[in-house]
Amino acid sequence: LQTMETSTAPLVNLLRTKSKQALLLYLEGFREACCLHRVIILCRRSRKLLIRTGQCFLLNGFIFLGSMFVLKSVVIPTLLWILPDQCSQFSSQELCSGGSILKFYSFLRRGLVQLLYVFWFYPFYVFSIILSNLWYNDIAKHGFAAMETSGYATTDPSKQNETLRNTEHQERPAGLGGVMIGIGEQAYSLLLLSFFCIEVYATGLLPFIGKFMNFLLLSWMYAYYCFEYKWNFTEVGLDKRLDFFETNWAFFAGFGSPCVLAIFFFSPLISYGVMAILFPLFVLTATGSPAEEVISAKRRTWKVAGLSRLPIFYIADTLSMKVLSFFSLESQEQIKDSKAL
């Protein structure tokens, strides 16, 4: 027993050390996400940013969530008053005999509510997704510009990713070759995130650990989306983004947690409305976050090796590469066929 305890002691100590490092980075990420005072400062320095952020609040908060509130608080109670669901609400009990009238009224209520969803909420939901995504890019752009001109950040935001960006510039060729590489990265990124979204949804269906895994993957997904705008403007390559993200997985899990906490316990439509309001705030927080410096400063305090890279996107990456390989082979065969003709 003493020999077994002696042999397992280093493993237990290593596990304890790594868990402490992960917790510290998680808390740093959570703290960075909660620095919402940056949003106020940036909005005060950029009128365009203030307008775009206000439009997001108006569209998704006042109109979309307001419509849901009116439905739950006014429309449904009014329908229940006009089309009662209890016999005691009828003036004549003869109307309620057999219960057929209650079933008919219930059918009418559900039908009218579904019509509201089909002709108002679902179309507005799609419209809001399209318009909000266009506005998110404007919000990130104006926020990044405000960071560069205001002198608010302790360091120039365009230099926060200097190491990653310089490496990328050395690897990417100029001219048409660089453009083609950029297009290829965009196509790969779209596939990667699409498969990762499917993975997030699938984990939510797992028994026992499904909710926890769904929360964790959602946190990573929202954190990546928030920082992606910043990395686009600082021209950080996709491979460098993924390496930095997966190496510092605990920090980004913490950064995405506040947004997921705000939407995790609501119905899908209400969750979307809340997320659509909060997401631009976290995008701006990520834009102003010196994440690289925070992580480096924390790692310098560790006396042992830091956390290892966690392959968060392994499944999505494998599926994306298979899809790209398939289309690449198809295009090569078409070229050979055209040359043969």
Side-chain angles (χ1 to χ4, degrees):
L1 289 175
Q2 289 180 349
T3 305
M4 185 179 296
E5 289 179 359
T6 304
S7 61
T8 58
L11 180 62
V12 172
N13 291 333
L14 179 63
L15 183 61
R16 185 184 296 115
T17 301
K18 296 299 182 182
S19 299
K20 182 179 179 181
Q21 291 175 347
L23 179 61
L24 290 174
L25 272 183
Y26 179 91
L27 293 175
E28 284 293 333
F30 195 96
R31 184 184 65 81
E32 281 294 307
C34 293
C35 293
L36 296 176
H37 63 279
R38 295 171 182 159
V39 180
I40 300 174
I41 295 174
L42 292 176
C43 286
R44 289 182 61 187
R45 298 182 183 276
S46 173
R47 181 173 176 81
K48 293 180 179 179
L49 176 60
L50 179 62
I51 292 173
R52 273 288 182 259
T53 307
Q55 287 172 331
C56 272
F57 273 88
L58 181 65
L59 177 69
N60 299 300
F62 184 76
I63 300 178
F64 187 78
L65 287 181
S67 298
M68 295 293 297
F69 177 78
V70 170
L71 174 68
K72 302 291 185 182
S73 304
V74 178
V75 175
I76 293 179
T78 302
L79 289 176
L80 284 171
W81 177 67
I82 297 173
L83 305 169
D85 62 343
Q86 296 179 2
C87 289
S88 59
Q89 296 176 282
F90 286 91
S91 57
S92 174
Q93 295 300 315
E94 295 180 0
L95 294 172
C96 196
S97 59
S100 58
I101 190 68
L102 291 179
K103 294 179 181 177
F104 178 66
Y105 281 0
S106 176
F107 173 77
L108 283 179
R109 286 196 308 271
R110 288 199 300 267
L112 291 171
V113 171
Q114 288 302 316
L115 285 175
L116 281 173
Y117 275 97
V118 170
F119 290 103
W120 173 250
F121 287 108
Y122 294 141
F124 192 85
Y125 172 73
V126 175
F127 172 76
S128 174
I129 289 177
I130 296 172
L131 191 58
S132 294
N133 276 286
L134 295 175
W135 285 349
Y136 294 154
N137 188 70
D138 288 344
I139 287 172
K141 179 177 66 177
H142 297 319
F144 191 79
M147 286 290 297
E148 287 186 316
T149 58
S150 66
Y152 160 66
T154 56
T155 59
D156 189 342
S158 63
K159 296 180 181 178
Q160 289 177 5
N161 296 284
E162 185 174 357
T163 303
L164 297 178
R165 192 174 67 255
N166 287 344
T167 306
E168 172 64 16
H169 280 320
Q170 292 171 3
E171 294 179 354
R172 178 175 294 185
L176 183 60
V179 173
M180 296 303 295
I181 290 175
I183 294 173
E185 282 190 350
Q186 291 298 320
Y188 171 77
S189 178
L190 181 61
L191 281 173
L192 182 78
L193 295 176
S194 298
F195 282 123
F196 191 73
C197 286
I198 297 173
E199 185 182 344
V200 170
Y201 174 78
T203 55
L205 304 177
L206 295 175
F208 305 114
I209 63 169
K211 286 291 184 182
F212 171 76
M213 291 298 297
N214 187 249
F215 181 90
L216 184 61
L217 292 180
L218 274 174
S219 299
W220 278 325
M221 186 177 73
Y222 283 124
Y224 186 87
Y225 279 140
C226 288
F227 277 89
E228 186 179 35
Y229 293 97
K230 175 183 178 179
W231 290 331
N232 281 336
F233 291 124
T234 51
E235 300 179 359
V236 177
L238 183 61
D239 55 337
K240 306 303 175 186
R241 303 180 196 184
L242 296 179
D243 179 70
F244 182 72
F245 192 91
E246 292 184 336
T247 303
N248 301 290
W249 51 269
F251 176 88
F252 290 106
F255 191 94
S257 293
C259 188
V260 179
L261 280 172
I263 66 173
F264 200 66
F265 303 102
F266 295 113
S267 64
L269 283 178
I270 294 179
S271 294
Y272 166 75
V274 175
M275 185 277 295
I277 293 174
L278 295 178
F279 184 70
L281 305 184
F282 290 114
V283 168
L284 290 174
T285 305
T287 301
S289 171
E292 297 79 9
E293 297 177 4
V294 171
I295 294 170
S296 297
K298 184 61 65 177
R299 285 180 175 273
R300 282 196 295 269
T301 62
W302 296 341
K303 297 180 181 179
V304 295
L307 297 172
S308 301
R309 178 172 178 173
L310 184 67
I312 300 169
F313 297 103
Y314 176 78
I315 297 175
D317 174 66
T318 303
L319 294 174
S320 300
M321 293 306 295
K322 287 184 179 296
V323 171
L324 290 175
S325 299
F326 172 78
F327 282 107
S328 176
L329 290 174
E330 286 289 323
S331 61
Q332 289 177 7
E333 289 179 1
Q334 290 179 359
I335 292 172
K336 289 180 180 178
D337 293 339
S338 63
K339 287 182 177 179
L341 294 174

